[in-house]
Amino acid sequence: MKFRQATWRKSNEVLEPTVFELGVLGRGGTKIAEPDPDIISIVGETDELIPENMKRKEINLPGMAEPQVARHFSRLAQMNYGVDSGSYWLGSCTMKYNPKAAMRIASSDRVRRLHPFIPTEAAQHILRIMYELQEMLSSITGLPHYTLQPAAGAQGEFVGALIIRAKHLDEGERQRDEMIIPVSAHGSNFASAAMAGFRVIKVPTSSEGTIDIDALRAVVGERTAGIMITNPNTLGIFESDILEISDLIHSAGGLIYYDGANLNAILGWVRLSDMGVDVAHLNMHKTFAAPHGGGGPGAGAVGVTEDLKDFLPVPLIKKSGNKFYFDYNVPKTIGKIRTFYGNSEVLIKSWAYLKMIGTEGLRKVSSIAVLNANYARRKLVDYGYKVAYGKERPCKHEFVLTLEDLKEYGVRALDVAKALIDRGLHPPTIYFPLIVKEAFMMEPTESDSLEEIDEYVKAMKEIRELAMEDSEALKRAPKNSSVRRLDETLANRKPILTWRMYIKLKASR
Ligand SMILES: *Cc1c(COP(=O)(O)O)cnc(C)c1O
């Protein structure tokens, strides 16, 4: 195999080769130690322990010395973009900074080496972490009971929907098979409700960007199981009629599901229980500073009111005296929904974040996140960008622009996003929410400094000017990235995520 110099820095269209392409047969930098004679004397020759048909006869490992391995992975790391690289205004994703102290705690030996089958007596510290996290989430949201099992926001929604279903069935209300969801909701809401067996009833958004109350009133009835509501909604607007909405649903016998994936705007300012919420999920990997993206692990804690606690998944984490334990005695549980107890390593990071930041810190996080979003929105409006909905009122943690007016120059939201990449900035969420044409959904979070926000909006200003003067130049973006424009449909539908190692197995050597 020929050794190829990585060429991504020189030419745009050439990808960094994989280690298998870089490797040279026979080359290497590792010496494999001889087996320890003491161990062999105890267990015998390992060669004899492994059945013949399970032995690998040949393996095609890349031949590389350590410097080349180190350089390869450093190059890959440099090609990556994360919250530690720069601004990351990916709306609805709350790409906030992940404090290094929390990472250190989560990777310490005391928690890293725990095995899920360890007896609970030996796992008291991790149980305590999870118990305390539940308590902190309870005090933030006003919902008294929590499960930390769901591995993502969407799984939390599914759990919540199953709980709502179980509650109605328990009360003999079999006819409650309709889940109301605003059209601005995250796509996972519709999927979760449908997976839990509900018929999805959509309600439109008013010109203010909030739920159309009259339309809602028209669909509420005796088949209503509940509503799945996001507040602030995905347009970054607070549903100020929330109390009227929850009264309407409750008096019809339905329950309020709250999509709390992004709680950043209201932390410490308003509790979900005060909005009439019965069940909610919170994303640890957005609001609570655990890293995500790239398909990394998540955790979607689900909180419920006193009325719904008997339906939570088992086991629950409880405390008796000084001892923490798993409670499997939950009479009407919807069952177990995740192996072991959830993504505990993610939970540790959120626990550490909350412990470090405290109640006052949380309020400050919210205020700065909201201030940053309003500041950025105002600047962008000054530069000519259009706010999709609710431009007369302040936004919360995020806002949605519509770039439809650039179409007259032949420029689309996608082109503007690609141009941001050339300026070293991660583009925002585009084409979501679906109700906004040429949507540009921006969430600066509390992590960006004033200078960083100014830099981002300045880049947006320049791109807008370029769009009007030389739209063809925008169509050529990105030029400074390792790849240019991908076939995004193909990349989504047929991703190639592995390198096929063809291991040739021969009958005998
Ligand atoms: C991210 C998000 C979800 C889903 O969370 P996942 O962890 O990605 O499954 C649900 N609702 C909203 C509003 C979100 O932003």
Side-chain angles (χ1 to χ4, degrees), residues 92-93 151-155 157 186 188-189 230 234 259 261-262 281 283 285-286:
S92 202
C93 291
Q155 198 180 20
E157 292 168 27
H186 195 263
S188 52
N189 286 193
T230 310
T234 61
D259 180 336
N262 321 99
H281 83 268
N283 280 18
H285 50 289
K286 288 179 182 169

Side-chain angles (χ1 to χ4, degrees), residues 42 58 95 247 263 327 467 488:
I42 297 165
E58 200 173 275
M95 303 301 287
D247 279 352
L263 218 59
D327 183 6
E488 306 203 358

Side-chain angles (χ1 to χ4, degrees), residues 328-395:
Y328 283 89
N329 186 19
V330 183
K332 296 169 183 171
T333 179
I334 59 160
K336 195 159 178 28
I337 47 92
R338 173 72 167 73
T339 46
F340 303 114
Y341 320 107
N343 279 334
S344 50
E345 160 269 355
V346 179
L347 303 170
I348 296 167
K349 292 169 192 169
S350 294
W351 168 85
Y353 173 70
L354 286 172
K355 282 279 178 188
M356 286 190 288
I357 212 154
T359 313
E360 272 316 299
L362 275 187
R363 286 168 71 90
K364 213 164 164 185
V365 160
S366 263
S367 332
I368 299 173
V370 171
L371 178 66
N372 283 356
N374 278 284
Y375 174 78
R377 186 178 79 153
R378 177 56 202 264
K379 285 243 154 174
L380 290 167
V381 167
D382 286 350
Y383 298 149
Y385 282 102
K386 308 272 180 299
V387 175
Y389 282 93
K391 46 184 164 292
E392 306 78 24
R393 45 205 289 193
C395 63

Side-chain angles (χ1 to χ4, degrees), residues 52-53 55-58 504-509:
E52 203 53 40
N53 64 342
K55 280 183 195 160
R56 237 174 224 175
K57 301 294 181 291
E58 200 173 275
K504 281 172 261 159
L505 293 176
K506 292 179 197 148
S508 65
R509 246 175 248 257

